[in-house]
Amino acid sequence: GIQVEQSPPDLILQEGANSTLRCNFSDSVNNLQWFHQNPWGQLINLFYIPSGTKQNGRLSATTVATERYSLLYISSSQTTDSGVYFCAVGNDMRFGAGTRLTVKP
Amino acid sequence: EAQVTQNPRYLITVTGKKLTVTCSQNMNHEYMSWYRQDPGLGLRQIYYSMNVEVTDKGDVPEGYKVSRKEKRNFPLILESPSPNQTSLYFCASSSFVGNTIYFGEGSWLTVV
């Protein structure tokens, strides 16, 4: 099956800093999504982005399908951005191990 | 409000006592699936359903059963729970396979 790798595994930021999270995958996919799991365990869909670039407020994502990676950008981070960020790929939604983000005030 | 609803949200049960975790979505979605989340292992798919009466195994189906008799409901059944099924369970749905997927709030299950 498809292998999904996320980096970095952990990230600690000061409030206001920017960050880039990466998702690499081992095969061509026509489905890639980014999720945020908040400290209470809820999984929120951030982007459906099999290719191209999308933006939603302070968050944006870019997927370069031909090179098998996707990037999630968080600008001007806030403490509420803390949690774990997952990417999932393929029709069976295979998840990476996640990036745990901690934003300190 | 569009949502995926799971029940119970929290449950402590004993080994061998059959239990069902219900999942319902109000978005008329065709595709539904179940995941379990364990520390260090991420989310792994248990079962999925492409439509009514169509179900298939995911990566970790052992010890679980599902059914899809109605479009909106996709219950997860643990016939004889064991402690290694202690986990956080998520139900999810999307309008069709490969489209934007929405998760329920999760069900914390402890088997003692």
Side-chain angles (χ1 to χ4, degrees):
Chain A
I2 297 174
Q3 303 299 310
V4 184
E5 294 184 357
Q6 291 186 242
S7 60
D10 293 281
L11 187 58
I12 300 174
L13 301 174
Q14 285 297 134
E15 201 167 25
N18 303 328
S19 62
T20 301
L21 284 58
R22 188 176 181 102
C23 172
N24 292 333
F25 43 95
S26 61
D27 205 350
S28 302
V29 296
N30 56 7
N31 180 13
L32 188 146
Q33 302 184 37
W34 282 96
F35 299 88
H36 174 221
Q37 186 169 37
N38 65 25
W40 297 271
Q42 293 177 310
L43 275 165
I44 308 299
N45 194 305
L46 297 175
F47 293 104
Y48 172 80
I49 186 164
S51 64
T53 297
K54 288 186 178 179
Q55 180 156 8
N56 184 2
R58 295 181 296 102
L59 273 60
S60 64
T62 295
T63 297
V64 184
T66 53
E67 297 188 21
R68 300 178 185 171
Y69 74 88
S70 182
L71 302 174
L72 178 69
Y73 305 96
I74 305 174
S75 64
S76 303
S77 58
Q78 301 175 358
T79 56
T80 52
D81 295 331
S82 296
V84 183
Y85 290 81
F86 292 101
C87 68
V89 305
N91 287 340
D92 59 352
M93 284 277 91
R94 192 164 293 273
F95 279 74
T99 293
R100 181 174 298 278
L101 174 65
T102 303
V103 181
K104 295 188 171 182
Chain B
E1 180 188 354
Q3 57 187 5
V4 180
T5 304
Q6 299 178 221
N7 280 295
R9 294 286 319 283
Y10 305 92
L11 180 65
I12 300 174
T13 190
V14 296
T15 299
K17 184 177 181 181
K18 180 180 178 180
L19 71 93
T20 299
V21 186
T22 64
C23 174
S24 181
Q25 49 92 6
N26 63 359
M27 296 171 278
N28 201 36
H29 284 172
E30 291 186 352
Y31 181 84
M32 298 184 74
S33 61
W34 277 102
Y35 291 82
R36 61 178 289 175
Q37 184 177 17
D38 303 290
L41 297 175
L43 280 91
R44 295 176 294 167
Q45 192 178 62
I46 304 170
Y47 269 95
Y48 64 94
S49 169
M50 305 280 272
N51 213 325
V52 175
E53 302 291 2
V54 181
T55 63
D56 210 344
K57 297 177 181 178
D59 290 328
V60 288
E62 294 78 20
Y64 305 95
K65 287 175 57 178
V66 293
S67 67
R68 187 91 182 273
K69 298 178 182 177
E70 305 167 284
K71 200 170 187 178
R72 63 183 292 127
N73 295 324
F74 190 44
L76 180 70
I77 303 159
L78 286 73
E79 292 272 4
S80 183
S82 61
N84 65 13
Q85 292 179 296
T86 293
S87 188
L88 174 58
Y89 291 87
F90 286 100
C91 180
S93 75
S94 64
S95 52
F96 53 86
V97 64
N99 204 7
T100 303
I101 195 164
Y102 299 94
F103 282 87
E105 292 189 330
S107 295
W108 295 87
L109 172 63
T110 301
V111 184
V112 297

